[in-house]
Amino acid sequence: GWASVHPLLKVIPVDWEHSIPFGLLHAPQPSGIVKQFLDEHKSWVIDGTYSALEYERRLKEADTIVLMDFRRLSCFFRAWKRYVQNRGRTRDSMGEGCVERMNREFIWWLLHRKKSQKERYRKVLEQYGYKTAVIRSQKELDKWMKEFVGNC
């Protein structure tokens, strides 16, 4: 998680109201704790594109937006490795009681979500391209993170 990246990064817990398929969590209403956090802090990093968590505000106020655009097979193999390592357990980054699993629906989502993701990324680049980094591989991510942490 982000907590191990830099000592100044804070991780805020979010109370999720319900889950959607594949073990992904999503809040139907903006989380008060996220809004409060953004109001109280000048600098922040938020991992994820959760649209109910002050998405438009985060895009507008962000100094830098990072879009992870890894290849589908790379995403699949990373998820498979994570599944093998954590099968039947709940990782720190998952909601309470949500166990690591790999099923047909999740595999389909991993391999076919790119179409909707590409459209969302296109819109972000259209509006905020001047402050957006698109990362397409682990090598690019490692390089960007090294520069990011070095500038904190």
Side-chain angles (χ1 to χ4, degrees):
W2 282 106
S4 63
V5 173
H6 194 277
L8 295 178
L9 293 178
K10 294 175 178 34
V11 176
I12 58 171
V14 176
D15 292 326
W16 301 102
E17 295 180 19
H18 69 281
S19 65
I20 58 175
F22 324 123
L24 302 174
L25 297 171
H26 142 73
Q29 298 298 320
S31 172
I33 194 168
V34 174
K35 183 179 182 329
Q36 178 183 350
F37 181 85
L38 294 175
D39 289 342
E40 294 175 357
H41 293 83
K42 182 181 172 190
S43 299
W44 38 265
V45 172
I46 295 182
D47 176 21
T49 57
Y50 311 110
S51 59
L53 298 179
E54 302 287 327
Y55 183 66
E56 292 301 325
R57 177 180 176 188
R58 290 185 289 129
L59 289 173
K60 183 179 178 182
E61 294 180 13
D63 293 327
T64 304
I65 299 167
V66 180
L67 301 177
M68 306 293 260
D69 194 17
F70 283 50
R71 297 207 236 144
R72 289 183 286 183
L73 285 179
S74 176
C75 292
F76 171 77
F77 286 118
R78 291 166 79 103
W80 180 259
K81 180 180 175 183
R82 192 174 59 235
Y83 166 71
V84 169
Q85 291 172 338
N86 299 290
R87 185 180 327 182
R89 295 185 307 206
T90 301
R91 291 181 283 116
D92 292 343
S93 61
M94 297 173 79
E96 188 176 324
C98 185
V99 296
E100 189 75 52
R101 65 179 190 253
M102 179 74 65
N103 58 32
R104 186 179 303 149
E105 292 85 7
F106 180 64
I107 293 169
W108 186 92
W109 180 82
L110 276 172
L111 296 176
H112 298 283
R113 70 184 160 79
K114 291 291 265 186
K115 289 178 186 173
S116 62
Q117 181 185 47
K118 285 282 188 195
E119 179 60 20
R120 185 170 46 242
Y121 282 9
R122 186 190 63 72
K123 288 179 181 177
V124 170
L125 285 167
E126 223 172 65
Q127 191 165 5
Y128 301 106
Y130 63 95
K131 61 179 182 179
T132 302
V134 180
I135 309 242
R136 292 188 170 89
S137 69
Q138 185 63 48
K139 184 177 179 179
E140 287 181 15
L141 176 60
D142 292 343
K143 181 180 181 220
W144 188 87
M145 286 297 293
K146 188 176 181 180
E147 291 171 8
F148 171 77
V149 172
N151 290 325
C152 287

